[in-house]
Amino acid sequence: MLILISDAFDPGLPGKLQKYGEVTDDKGRLADAEVVLVRSKTKVTREYIDSAPHLKMVIRGGVGLDNVDLEYAKEKGIIVHNTAAASSIAVGELAFAMMIAMPNHLSRADVSMHEGKWLKKELKRTELYGKTLGVLGMGRIGTEIGKRAKAFGMKVLAYDPFIKSSEIAEMKTDLKELLGASDYVSLNMPLTDDTRGMINKDTLTLCKDGAYMINTGRGKCVIEEDVANALKGGRLAGYATDVWYSDPPESSPLMDAPNVLMAPHIGASTRENLLRIGEIIDQLLGEYVRKQ
Ligand code: NAD
């Protein structure tokens, strides 16, 4: 069996998987691969699948499966797994770090000090304590963020059409009500036909004046142009994002907008998470081999 590691994983992973067969990171050998391991960079499209006649299993190290053509994989009898539970803490911590960084102007404070400036009077901070966080998508990651917000003395609301109750958040069935009440809005839903462009000029007008938004879900859940305008007009006080229309973004109106905190899709990239992902892949391959 040939296992193709197509994206970046823990460096110890190839050694761990050798017991199942030959392991390669040579993408030129896709045509011979039985198992392909991807994160978000490799796009497992119809064309990709057609160039892999021996492919039996795709494992996506991470959560979102929007880079895999699930329908075509099913048609071809290819098993697709993700490692859904592994990344929640890693992404939750990044979202929370962004949520702390924005009202404390950490990025500007650091850059200005490096430039020899002393902005003690200009950098007015605000606290998370006593504020309201609205989570869109109260799944695994949304729940981790909610737990951390509670520990900081925040009130937590959530909107999720598929979750009726939560021990962490007060569930709201009306998006308008949630956005109108939230000082911070965290986007943690998957990219689907329903969530694509969900944050747009209409939904942004429902937000509190001066709200902060944090996106560690998917770039295309927002219309970037509308977010940039909301930042310029002051409707949003800040937008922190780890996710983009493409990795890396080719061009984005967010690059020139004020108060944007940007990260290069590193939500899942903690050392601990890559080890957790490796352990789950090892288990999945073990089960696959036992069934052969
Ligand atoms: P999850 O499936 O546990 O949670 C997603 C939640 O979104 C679910 O509860 C679902 O019911 C809800 N949802 C679906 N449609 C919705 C809608 N229209 N409105 C509101 N909520 C809706 O998944 P998770 O592990 O929490 O991950 C969430 C997303 O985070 C992933 O789909 C992925 O896109 C993204 N993610 C990003 C990174 C990163 O590196 N930044 C890493 C992992 C995951």
Side-chain angles (χ1 to χ4, degrees):
M1 167 163 76
L2 182 66
I3 302 166
L4 169 61
I5 302 187
S6 186
D7 290 333
F9 285 85
D10 175 63
L13 189 62
K16 211 176 194 168
L17 301 184
Q18 264 164 15
K19 57 187 179 255
Y20 301 117
E22 190 188 349
V23 183
T24 181
D25 59 4
D26 178 359
K27 292 180 193 179
R29 297 187 66 196
L30 173 64
D32 299 322
E34 183 170 337
V35 175
V36 172
L37 310 183
V38 303
R39 289 189 61 211
S40 53
K41 194 170 178 196
T42 300
K43 310 295 175 212
V44 186
T45 57
R46 176 178 277 263
E47 295 71 38
Y48 186 93
I49 291 172
D50 282 341
S51 6
H54 300 290
L55 189 58
K56 298 268 174 44
M57 180 155 81
V58 174
I59 306 180
R60 152 77 163 108
V63 186
L65 283 165
D66 42 291
N67 57 326
V68 180
D69 186 334
L70 292 173
E71 219 166 280
Y72 194 56
K74 195 173 169 196
E75 203 180 306
K76 290 280 181 181
I78 297 166
I79 308 162
V80 179
H81 287 289
N82 62 1
T83 59
S87 307
S88 316
I89 290 174
V91 185
E93 286 194 6
L94 179 71
F96 211 77
M98 290 174 140
M99 213 159 107
I100 295 174
M102 281 195 290
N104 288 295
H105 309 295
L106 288 185
S107 175
R108 214 174 142 213
D110 180 58
V111 170
S112 58
M113 288 294 292
H114 282 284
E115 290 170 351
K117 294 178 190 154
W118 185 252
L119 300 185
K120 186 173 169 69
K121 285 206 183 81
E122 289 86 342
L123 297 180
K124 302 279 183 238
R125 301 168 46 232
T126 55
E127 298 172 359
L128 294 181
Y129 180 81
K131 302 294 191 314
T132 298
L133 166 68
V135 177
L136 267 61
M138 196 58 183
R140 285 172 290 255
I141 296 170
T143 299
E144 291 301 329
I145 297 167
K147 281 185 204 167
R148 285 155 181 78
K150 285 229 140 170
F152 267 63
M154 298 181 83
K155 180 176 176 181
V156 182
L157 310 176
Y159 170 82
D160 189 321
F162 304 100
I163 303 277
K164 294 285 160 276
S165 66
S166 156
E167 284 180 11
I168 307 295
E170 186 186 321
M171 299 304 296
K172 296 282 177 197
T173 50
D174 185 2
L175 180 62
K176 186 175 173 184
E177 193 188 338
L178 176 131
L179 292 176
S182 301
D183 304 293
Y184 290 80
V185 176
S186 179
L187 307 183
N188 300 105
M189 57 285 198
L191 181 65
T192 65
D193 289 344
D194 288 338
T195 62
R196 191 180 300 275
M198 192 169 166
I199 299 298
N200 53 46
K201 58 181 181 327
D202 298 328
T203 44
L204 283 162
T205 58
L206 304 173
C207 290
K208 260 186 162 180
D209 253 343
Y212 289 93
M213 191 169 278
I214 304 98
N215 189 0
T216 55
R218 278 291 175 264
K220 288 179 181 168
C221 291
V222 309
I223 304 292
E224 288 184 342
E225 189 76 50
D226 296 346
V227 172
N229 288 334
L231 288 160
K232 286 175 194 158
R235 167 71 61 176
L236 288 183
Y239 177 71
T241 188
D242 182 42
V243 283
W244 301 93
Y245 283 8
S246 65
D247 282 1
E250 277 161 24
S251 71
S252 166
L254 294 171
M255 295 292 165
D256 303 320
N259 302 319
V260 182
L261 180 61
M262 306 184 235
H265 204 168
I266 51 171
S269 303
T270 64
R271 195 170 52 215
E272 294 84 350
N273 186 36
L274 292 181
L275 286 171
R276 277 193 295 268
I277 287 175
E279 278 160 25
I280 297 175
I281 290 174
D282 190 1
Q283 282 168 18
L284 289 169
L285 275 171
E287 283 162 26
Y288 172 76
V289 166
R290 271 194 298 280
K291 282 184 196 155
Q292 298 304 298

